[in-house]
Amino acid sequence: MCLAVPGRVLDIGEKDGTRMATVDFGGVQKEVCLEYLPDLQVGEYAIVHVGFALQRLDEESARQTLALFEELGMLQEEFGDPWEQAAAQAGADSPWPFADGPFGGEATAPQQVQEEGRP
């Protein structure tokens, strides 16, 4: 599910000619495009959907919405680790389906395996 989530702007910069911001969503930070809200400033809140800040929001409304999302577990669903979510849905106790990881030792995320040159 894709939610429109309120977040607080931490910093603003430019990336490839596009105004971008680092936005905090109750502890999770993501990069967000500010093209639809070009006058948004550091410290302000906005509703963000699929990486775009869409609408300015007052702080109290943002905090209430984030608290409700957290209570309902929707922030974890939206921003959590997809591998951990898949394992939880499958009923696994470990975030990786193999208790000792695919190559021994601690569980290794597939992206790390690929970086090591293994399929």
Side-chain angles (χ1 to χ4, degrees):
M1 175 190 326
C2 285
L3 300 172
V5 181
R8 181 175 181 264
V9 177
L10 299 177
D11 63 28
I12 296 173
E14 190 173 294
K15 182 177 181 181
D16 299 323
T18 302
R19 192 163 186 258
M20 302 292 289
T22 303
V23 177
D24 179 67
F25 302 95
V28 176
Q29 295 180 9
K30 298 283 184 178
E31 189 174 64
V32 171
C33 178
L34 298 181
E35 289 298 303
Y36 295 128
L37 293 175
D39 61 339
L40 195 65
Q41 300 296 315
V42 171
E44 291 186 303
Y45 288 81
I47 298 286
V48 177
H49 181 63
V50 293
F52 289 87
L54 300 177
Q55 181 178 350
R56 187 174 274 106
L57 187 65
D58 67 275
E59 183 176 356
E60 183 58 29
S61 296
R63 290 183 184 275
Q64 288 176 356
T65 302
L66 284 170
L68 180 60
F69 283 179
E70 180 67 30
E71 183 180 321
L72 297 172
M74 296 172 84
L75 284 180
Q76 180 63 23
E77 181 180 318
E78 187 71 12
F79 296 120
D81 183 294
W83 295 104
E84 289 179 10
Q85 291 173 12
Q89 288 176 356
D93 293 331
S94 158
W96 182 255
F98 308 104
D100 64 350
F103 302 104
E106 291 295 315
T108 304
Q111 62 210 28
Q112 293 169 328
V113 171
Q114 196 169 28
E115 288 171 6
E116 294 171 6
R118 298 178 183 149

